[in-house]
Amino acid sequence: MTSRRNFIKLTALGTSALSMGRFPIPAANPRPQPKQTPALGESPIVLSTWQHGVNANAEAWKILSTGGTALDAVEAGVKIPEADPNVRSVGYGGLPDRDGHVTLDACIMDQDSNCGSVAFLEHILHPISVARMVMEKTPHIMLVGEGALQFALENGFKKMNLLTPESEKDWKQWLKTSPYKPIINVENHDTIGMIAMDKQGHLSGACTTSGLAYKMRGRVGDSPIIGAGLFVDNEVGAATATGVGEEVIRIAGSHLIVELMRQGNSPEDACRIAVERIIRKQPVKSKEIQVGFLALNKKGEYGSWCVQKGFNYAVYSNTQQNELIDGKHSL
Ligand code: SD4
């Protein structure tokens, strides 16, 4: 919602292939043909976290409804809030760290378990596209900080100032008292996590954020961590997370949810069990934090669960045209 301010495998490569810059970047993630026949349910379908998921879903739906891939859809979808200065928790306009730097985390994962990630990246409008390029053009999965920026610039991304006057003003106001206490559902929990299934029944996901507002410099949350902020297994389902990343990383949240679905749990039950695990591990802290999970299985069934009231998500399919749904909660 707008009032809310507003997550090597070196196949046959020799060590010389690792010397990026001196050697051409090898095609590190050759695209294998899908190994399994996709199970078609409600597809295509796209889900994403929070109110800003509505605009993001609308963009993704343009691709999904015309037969495009889930991978293209999730990238295009999350680029909308990345570029929106009114979304104060993702990309351009995101609230900075406590030293005034906007630092971005993002990851993407496709139906063949290819994945790419950037963390602690500054000055780049679309970290999700850099993450995709890491996935497609390097033998690695994750690039961070200076190296991620260097890689982005070398690949045609332009450097820009992501700190808007509005975010700068809020940061300066915050500096006057410097209360480092996350506020539930406000300011700190509006990562966009998007998961989708395309007409072919293949799953992909993307997650992108400016992270917790006024975080310590260098802090990285769950959003760029494969298995924490996002996980996709095309045999089973996909999951993504939003909220206090430390709590999501602690239980490897998105991977846990996909494994719970593999064991036969519905998407909603899988999300609920993950939330209950967070609460069990950190019962006192859980009263003060928010974490929300979103999951989709191969049948096109989806579900969500969060710690506290207040999390919502958007769903776009042939039968649900961008509905905003409140996540069920434990506390
Ligand atoms: C993080 N999960 O960096 C993110 C924060 C966020 O919605 O805004 N989540 O921990």
Side-chain angles (χ1 to χ4, degrees), residues 7 82 89-91 103-106 127 190-192 207-212 215 219 222-224:
F7 95 61
E82 279 186 343
S89 49
V90 181
T103 71
L104 306 176
D105 298 338
D190 292 357
T191 291
I192 183 148
C207 188
T208 177
T209 189
S210 52
L212 294 186
K215 60 196 174 185
R219 181 265 186 191
D222 61 313
S223 304

Side-chain angles (χ1 to χ4, degrees), residues 178-229:
S178 299
Y180 194 64
K181 188 173 186 212
I183 303 164
I184 294 166
N185 288 324
V186 182
E187 296 190 329
N188 285 328
H189 306 287
D190 292 357
T191 291
I192 183 148
M194 176 181 278
I195 46 183
M197 182 158 58
D198 59 31
K199 275 188 178 167
Q200 287 68 43
H202 292 309
L203 296 162
S204 288
C207 188
T208 177
T209 189
S210 52
L212 294 186
Y214 318 132
K215 60 196 174 185
M216 289 176 70
R217 178 142 177 83
R219 181 265 186 191
V220 169
D222 61 313
S223 304
I225 312 283
I226 298 295

